[in-house]
Amino acid sequence: MKANQNQFSPRKVPQQERALFTVESILTAARTIIQQKGYEAATTNHIADVAGVSIGSLYQYFPSKEAIVAALVEDAVLRAGERTRKFLIERMNVSLETGVREIIQHLLEIRREYGLIFRRLAREVPRFRNISGQLTTEKYLYNTVHTFYLQHREEILVEDLEMAMFVIEHLVVGAIDAYLDNDAPRLDDEELVQQVSNAVIKYLTK
Amino acid sequence: MKANQNQFSPRKVPQQERALFTVESILTAARTIIQQKGYEAATTNHIADVAGVSIGSLYQYFPSKEAIVAALVEDAVLRAGERTRKFLIERMNVSLETGVREIIQHLLEIRREYGLIFRRLAREVPRFRNISGQLTTEKYLYNTVHTFYLQHREEILVEDLEMAMFVIEHLVVGAIDAYLDNDAPRLDDEELVQQVSNAVIKYLTK
Amino acid sequence: MKANQNQFSPRKVPQQERALFTVESILTAARTIIQQKGYEAATTNHIADVAGVSIGSLYQYFPSKEAIVAALVEDAVLRAGERTRKFLIERMNVSLETGVREIIQHLLEIRREYGLIFRRLAREVPRFRNISGQLTTEKYLYNTVHTFYLQHREEILVEDLEMAMFVIEHLVVGAIDAYLDNDAPRLDDEELVQQVSNAVIKYLTK
Amino acid sequence: MKANQNQFSPRKVPQQERALFTVESILTAARTIIQQKGYEAATTNHIADVAGVSIGSLYQYFPSKEAIVAALVEDAVLRAGERTRKFLIERMNVSLETGVREIIQHLLEIRREYGLIFRRLAREVPRFRNISGQLTTEKYLYNTVHTFYLQHREEILVEDLEMAMFVIEHLVVGAIDAYLDNDAPRLDDEELVQQVSNAVIKYLTK
DNA sequence: GATGAATGAGCTTTCATTCAT
DNA sequence: AATGAATGAAAGCTCATTCAT
């Protein structure tokens, strides 16, 4: 069931190369502006301007401003999801401890890179929290992570694994986002990953 | 009582009871609107409307829209801070495990009650993250929590306690907020508190 | 025929000393603000504030903001007029040349002193131009100046004296105001008075 | 072409004929309103209304209300300046007396035509006095007038010519503006020009 | 009389969106 | 298809004035 079918779906599916390029330009412009100046600065006219496209063209491919943002979020989620899934698959045979640490390390990188989209939009515009939240969880964390944990099921002492996954996901993402938000006082990447991994491992196995 | 003196400080101090009521109405209206519909919906005219007050009156006591929000945040932080500090002091002699669980339980309540202000505003309007962030952490968590942990220092195995406090704070708050945001799938309050306490205790002592 | 009878007349004629003081405070405050920050800054609330009087009281003595300004202009005109008349009377027996020079000298001083009221208000608020214009001309220049010129009628070659007076008045006031407005490039008080006197004397006698 | 580049410069340069017409409409509407009702009456909404244009269009071409007025002043100064310069050049070979009279006659016409802009704006809004003042004096009076006077240097008895020019300029403009402001009592155009010319000629040559 | 709280029309300006070319 | 001119609801805010105490 494809989710984005109704209000946020692009007006026309671009079929020519130029059209595709236009759409790409708009999304890139929107992404750049939001990351550099925040959501409020991302007016449609400004986006069109930066994209080098007329405002009329912009509205030929996107029915509304929200549609642009939705596309942006979806794009980020898909890319990040794909990368994360590949990453996880490569780590399927690794030890629980190593796996957890590397996954957290990976999440830190991912959220630093795409995170501005997630964090900015999710925080500034509540409407998009659901979109990104659902997609995040469902599409690129849950399934594969679940598989990974199952591989180490006997090491894991908690009974309800799915609940633990929910708890862990938010423990981890909460800590990472806080770390990225605040210019953290006495912590560097390595230390953070170490500590959070510690917490997760202990939570799962002790 | 030293910060935000200029741009956010009230325009005039109400001297009659009627005026006090007006100020209270405005803050209540703003709080209600923000909690129910978000920051974007909280236009000054709407706030005045809901408060049953003219727009002129609103601007007689608040120099700007942001000042209203700042007052809201400050108020929430002060109340929540006071309650939390009292709560912590009463638990000074309790065991580490009990203390952690009860504190997390308490934080869950606090953030459910005042948290919409923290979470909504902090997320939607980055400007306010500083205010709430600083006040939150520094004023009512850090000092007292630190004292509590020190009382159980010998049970705690991590070396750098302050770093651990940073990690824990964001692990806990991240998880709680996520739980409150998503109407969590297979979790209730008790379970959440239990799991997060578990994680924290294990992180500290194993 | 008293001019200021209708829309600009004070609401009540103050009969007690305190009331008189209040009115004086308001006028002084208004004058100060207008001179220092311009007409736009002179809001009624600000005036009341500076006057140390409640806004309610202000409206007890003046029916509108314009009434305050009108009173201000009238006051300035009366004072300046009185001083000028006295000054002129003392110079009745002086030679035409000396008299003209000293009058111009005197006008320079007067307009430097009260002029901010005349110039600011007259320029920023066209409604008041008539008031001040009429009062200026009629009440303190025309009659006495006329008498002075008559004393030297035989030296004066122009036929239509009244027309000449009109021309001279505006030549003189125009030059003085321009001098006071621009921070004049290569001119000081003395030089200005000298040159303008020259022009007037020559105009009248050559 | 170097000053007012930022805050007053047009927002976008109109590229279609339709847009040019819009800009023209806005300027015309603003000019009309200011001339007929003064600066205070010239609200942006009213200007847009009279121009038959939406408020949005107005702000597409002018970044602020002041920018409109600035454009108005600049336009008037440029046109008036050009006309006056041409006029003066044609009179270069004329006698001092004729020249002065014709120039004053010309100034009377110019200030009657464009003058409402100069006088109203210059008087009501001090900010614009600088713009119009500088442009007026420097660009279209000073240079050419100076040349004219130099051609008759031997007839002129005053020593410091430039100072005399300053005095004369303000004598003349002051008198003309006063004549145009007050609907002058016993004077017509011809008489005014005659008298003021007289004064100037005598001032210069006697 | 005096106070100051309350009012609200109206101001400048923005920006998502539509429409004529 | 593309352009960009045009739209107008709606935002934040001011200030002369009224009214309850």
Side-chain angles (χ1 to χ4, degrees):
Chain A
M1 181 179 60
K2 289 187 74 169
N4 59 329
Q5 202 55 346
N6 268 332
Q7 47 169 331
F8 291 152
S9 56
R11 243 176 198 167
K12 59 177 77 169
V13 179
Q15 280 158 352
Q16 298 172 16
E17 218 174 313
R18 183 153 60 118
L20 209 84
F21 178 71
T22 300
V23 166
E24 221 41 69
S25 301
I26 292 168
L27 288 179
T28 300
R31 184 160 39 228
T32 305
I33 294 170
I34 290 173
Q35 286 183 341
Q36 287 176 359
K37 308 191 206 157
Y39 184 76
E40 281 184 88
T43 69
T44 49
N45 280 288
H46 190 194
I47 293 172
D49 224 45
V50 172
V53 154
S54 74
I55 183 67
S57 289
L58 185 150
Y59 273 90
Q60 211 136 42
Y61 291 106
F62 296 93
S64 71
K65 186 184 170 182
E66 295 206 354
I68 298 175
V69 178
L72 220 53
V73 171
E74 193 180 15
D75 179 74
V77 166
L78 285 180
R79 287 173 197 267
E82 199 46 40
R83 273 180 51 185
T84 300
R85 186 155 42 246
K86 279 183 187 156
F87 184 90
L88 277 163
I89 287 167
E90 289 170 9
R91 261 132 207 94
M92 273 303 162
N93 300 319
V94 149
S95 77
L96 180 63
E97 192 168 338
T98 307
V100 164
R101 194 179 352 94
E102 288 183 352
I103 291 169
I104 290 172
Q105 166 77 41
H106 173 83
L107 279 177
L108 175 59
E109 284 165 21
I110 287 282
R111 285 195 90 80
R112 199 183 331 254
E113 194 172 339
Y114 297 97
L116 270 182
I117 294 294
F118 298 153
R119 295 196 326 269
R120 278 249 156 116
L121 292 186
R123 290 181 181 178
E124 295 180 17
V125 191
R127 279 163 299 197
F128 299 116
R129 199 154 46 210
N130 289 330
I131 301 179
S132 95
Q134 289 176 339
L135 290 174
T136 302
T137 308
E138 290 172 21
K139 289 207 173 151
Y140 78 89
L141 271 187
Y142 188 81
N143 284 330
T144 332
V145 170
H146 194 226
T147 309
F148 173 75
Y149 282 140
L150 282 184
Q151 293 224 331
H152 301 274
R153 193 62 184 93
E154 76 279 6
E155 296 175 61
I156 296 174
L157 298 186
V158 295
E159 287 176 16
D160 188 338
L161 181 57
E162 301 193 4
M163 189 194 64
M165 279 175 60
F166 173 85
V167 172
I168 287 173
E169 182 192 335
H170 292 297
L171 285 175
V172 169
V173 171
I176 286 177
D177 285 355
Y179 169 74
L180 290 173
D181 273 355
N182 316 355
D183 21 29
R186 49 190 314 161
L187 219 50
D188 58 9
D189 281 19
E190 199 182 350
E191 194 79 36
L192 177 84
V193 171
Q194 189 56 48
Q195 296 301 322
V196 176
S197 306
N198 258 347
V200 171
I201 296 290
K202 286 174 184 165
Y203 170 65
L204 281 173
T205 62
K206 303 274 167 136
Chain B
M1 215 160 285
K2 62 176 194 293
N4 65 321
Q5 196 60 351
N6 269 332
Q7 49 169 328
F8 291 151
S9 56
R11 239 178 200 168
K12 72 163 67 167
V13 179
Q15 290 173 3
Q16 297 175 13
E17 215 176 316
R18 186 161 53 126
L20 217 82
F21 180 70
T22 298
V23 168
E24 224 40 71
S25 302
I26 292 167
L27 288 178
T28 301
R31 187 159 33 226
T32 306
I33 294 170
I34 290 173
Q35 285 182 343
Q36 287 176 1
K37 308 191 206 157
Y39 184 76
E40 279 182 293
T43 70
T44 51
N45 280 295
H46 191 192
I47 292 173
D49 227 44
V50 171
V53 150
S54 74
I55 183 65
S57 286
L58 186 151
Y59 276 95
Q60 209 142 51
Y61 297 104
F62 297 95
S64 70
K65 183 186 167 181
E66 295 202 357
I68 299 175
V69 178
L72 230 48
V73 170
E74 195 180 12
D75 179 73
V77 167
L78 285 180
R79 287 173 195 269
E82 200 45 42
R83 272 181 51 185
T84 300
R85 186 157 40 245
K86 279 182 188 156
F87 183 90
L88 278 164
I89 287 167
E90 288 169 10
R91 262 133 206 94
M92 273 303 161
N93 300 319
V94 148
S95 77
L96 181 63
E97 194 169 337
T98 306
V100 164
R101 192 177 355 94
E102 288 184 351
I103 291 169
I104 289 172
Q105 166 77 41
H106 172 83
L107 279 177
L108 175 59
E109 284 165 22
I110 286 283
R111 285 193 90 81
R112 196 185 331 256
E113 194 171 338
Y114 300 97
L116 271 181
I117 294 295
F118 297 154
R119 270 147 44 222
R120 278 257 155 116
L121 294 185
R123 290 182 180 176
E124 295 179 22
V125 189
R127 281 162 294 198
F128 298 117
R129 202 156 47 217
N130 290 329
I131 301 179
S132 91
Q134 289 176 338
L135 290 175
T136 304
T137 308
E138 291 173 20
K139 292 209 172 148
Y140 78 90
L141 272 187
Y142 189 82
N143 283 329
T144 332
V145 170
H146 195 225
T147 309
F148 173 76
Y149 284 139
L150 281 184
Q151 293 223 331
H152 300 275
R153 193 61 183 93
E154 76 277 8
E155 297 175 59
I156 295 174
L157 298 186
V158 295
E159 287 177 15
D160 188 338
L161 181 56
E162 302 193 4
M163 190 195 62
M165 280 175 59
F166 173 85
V167 172
I168 288 173
E169 182 191 333
H170 292 297
L171 287 175
V172 169
V173 171
I176 287 177
D177 286 354
Y179 169 73
L180 290 172
D181 272 355
N182 318 354
D183 20 30
R186 49 191 313 163
L187 218 51
D188 58 10
D189 280 21
E190 200 181 349
E191 194 78 38
L192 177 85
V193 171
Q194 189 55 50
Q195 295 303 321
V196 175
S197 305
N198 258 348
V200 171
I201 296 289
K202 286 175 184 164
Y203 170 64
L204 281 173
T205 62
K206 304 275 166 135
Chain C
M1 183 177 60
K2 288 189 73 169
N4 59 328
Q5 202 55 345
N6 268 332
Q7 47 169 331
F8 291 152
S9 57
R11 242 176 198 167
K12 59 176 77 171
V13 178
Q15 281 158 353
Q16 300 171 14
E17 218 174 312
R18 183 152 61 117
L20 210 84
F21 179 71
T22 301
V23 166
E24 222 40 69
S25 303
I26 292 168
L27 289 179
T28 301
R31 185 160 37 228
T32 306
I33 295 170
I34 290 173
Q35 286 183 341
Q36 287 176 0
K37 308 191 208 158
Y39 184 75
E40 281 183 90
T43 70
T44 50
N45 280 288
H46 190 192
I47 292 172
D49 224 45
V50 172
V53 154
S54 74
I55 182 68
S57 290
L58 186 150
Y59 272 89
Q60 210 135 42
Y61 291 105
F62 296 94
S64 71
K65 185 183 170 182
E66 296 205 353
I68 299 175
V69 178
L72 221 54
V73 170
E74 194 181 14
D75 179 74
V77 167
L78 285 180
R79 286 174 196 267
E82 200 45 42
R83 272 179 52 184
T84 300
R85 187 155 40 246
K86 279 182 188 157
F87 184 90
L88 277 164
I89 286 168
E90 290 169 10
R91 261 133 206 94
M92 273 302 162
N93 300 319
V94 150
S95 76
L96 180 64
E97 193 168 337
T98 307
V100 165
R101 195 181 347 98
E102 288 183 350
I103 291 169
I104 290 172
Q105 165 77 41
H106 172 82
L107 279 177
L108 175 58
E109 284 165 21
I110 287 283
R111 286 194 88 80
R112 203 190 319 261
E113 194 172 339
Y114 299 96
L116 270 181
I117 293 294
F118 297 154
R119 293 191 333 264
R120 276 249 157 116
L121 292 186
R123 290 180 181 179
E124 294 181 17
V125 190
R127 278 164 299 196
F128 300 117
R129 199 153 47 208
N130 290 331
I131 301 179
S132 96
Q134 289 176 338
L135 290 175
T136 302
T137 308
E138 291 172 19
K139 290 206 172 153
Y140 78 90
L141 270 187
Y142 189 81
N143 284 330
T144 332
V145 170
H146 194 226
T147 309
F148 173 76
Y149 284 139
L150 281 184
Q151 294 223 330
H152 301 274
R153 192 63 184 92
E154 75 280 5
E155 297 175 61
I156 296 174
L157 299 185
V158 294
E159 287 175 18
D160 188 338
L161 181 58
E162 301 194 4
M163 189 194 64
M165 279 175 60
F166 173 85
V167 172
I168 287 173
E169 183 192 334
H170 291 298
L171 287 174
V172 170
V173 171
I176 286 177
D177 284 355
Y179 170 73
L180 290 173
D181 272 356
N182 315 357
D183 22 28
R186 48 190 316 163
L187 220 50
D188 56 10
D189 280 20
E190 200 182 348
E191 194 79 37
L192 178 83
V193 171
Q194 189 56 47
Q195 296 302 321
V196 175
S197 306
N198 257 347
V200 170
I201 296 290
K202 285 175 184 165
Y203 170 64
L204 281 173
T205 63
K206 304 276 167 133
Chain D
M1 216 158 287
K2 62 177 193 295
N4 68 318
Q5 195 60 351
N6 268 333
Q7 50 169 328
F8 291 151
S9 56
R11 239 177 200 169
K12 73 163 69 166
V13 179
Q15 289 174 3
Q16 297 176 12
E17 215 176 316
R18 185 161 55 127
L20 217 83
F21 180 70
T22 298
V23 168
E24 225 40 71
S25 303
I26 292 168
L27 287 178
T28 301
R31 187 159 34 227
T32 305
I33 294 171
I34 289 173
Q35 286 183 342
Q36 287 175 0
K37 307 191 207 158
Y39 185 77
E40 279 182 293
T43 70
T44 50
N45 280 297
H46 191 193
I47 292 173
D49 227 44
V50 171
V53 151
S54 75
I55 183 64
S57 287
L58 186 151
Y59 275 94
Q60 209 142 51
Y61 297 103
F62 297 95
S64 71
K65 182 185 168 181
E66 295 203 357
I68 299 175
V69 178
L72 231 47
V73 171
E74 195 179 12
D75 178 74
V77 167
L78 285 180
R79 286 173 195 268
E82 200 45 41
R83 271 181 51 185
T84 301
R85 185 156 42 246
K86 279 182 187 155
F87 183 90
L88 279 164
I89 287 168
E90 288 170 9
R91 262 130 207 97
M92 273 303 161
N93 300 318
V94 148
S95 77
L96 180 64
E97 193 169 336
T98 307
V100 165
R101 191 176 356 93
E102 288 184 351
I103 291 169
I104 289 172
Q105 166 77 40
H106 172 83
L107 279 177
L108 175 59
E109 283 165 22
I110 286 283
R111 285 194 90 79
R112 192 174 349 244
E113 194 171 339
Y114 299 98
L116 271 182
I117 294 296
F118 296 155
R119 271 148 42 223
R120 278 257 155 116
L121 294 186
R123 289 181 180 177
E124 294 179 23
V125 191
R127 281 162 293 199
F128 298 116
R129 201 154 49 215
N130 289 330
I131 300 179
S132 91
Q134 289 176 337
L135 291 175
T136 303
T137 307
E138 290 173 20
K139 291 210 171 146
Y140 78 89
L141 272 187
Y142 189 81
N143 284 329
T144 332
V145 171
H146 194 225
T147 309
F148 173 76
Y149 284 139
L150 282 183
Q151 294 222 332
H152 302 274
R153 194 62 184 91
E154 76 278 6
E155 297 173 60
I156 295 173
L157 298 185
V158 296
E159 287 176 16
D160 189 337
L161 180 58
E162 301 194 3
M163 190 195 64
M165 280 175 60
F166 174 84
V167 172
I168 287 173
E169 182 191 334
H170 292 298
L171 287 174
V172 170
V173 170
I176 286 177
D177 285 354
Y179 169 73
L180 290 173
D181 272 356
N182 318 354
D183 19 31
R186 49 191 314 162
L187 217 51
D188 58 9
D189 280 20
E190 199 181 349
E191 195 77 38
L192 178 84
V193 171
Q194 189 55 47
Q195 297 302 321
V196 176
S197 305
N198 258 347
V200 171
I201 295 290
K202 286 174 184 165
Y203 170 64
L204 281 174
T205 62
K206 303 274 166 133

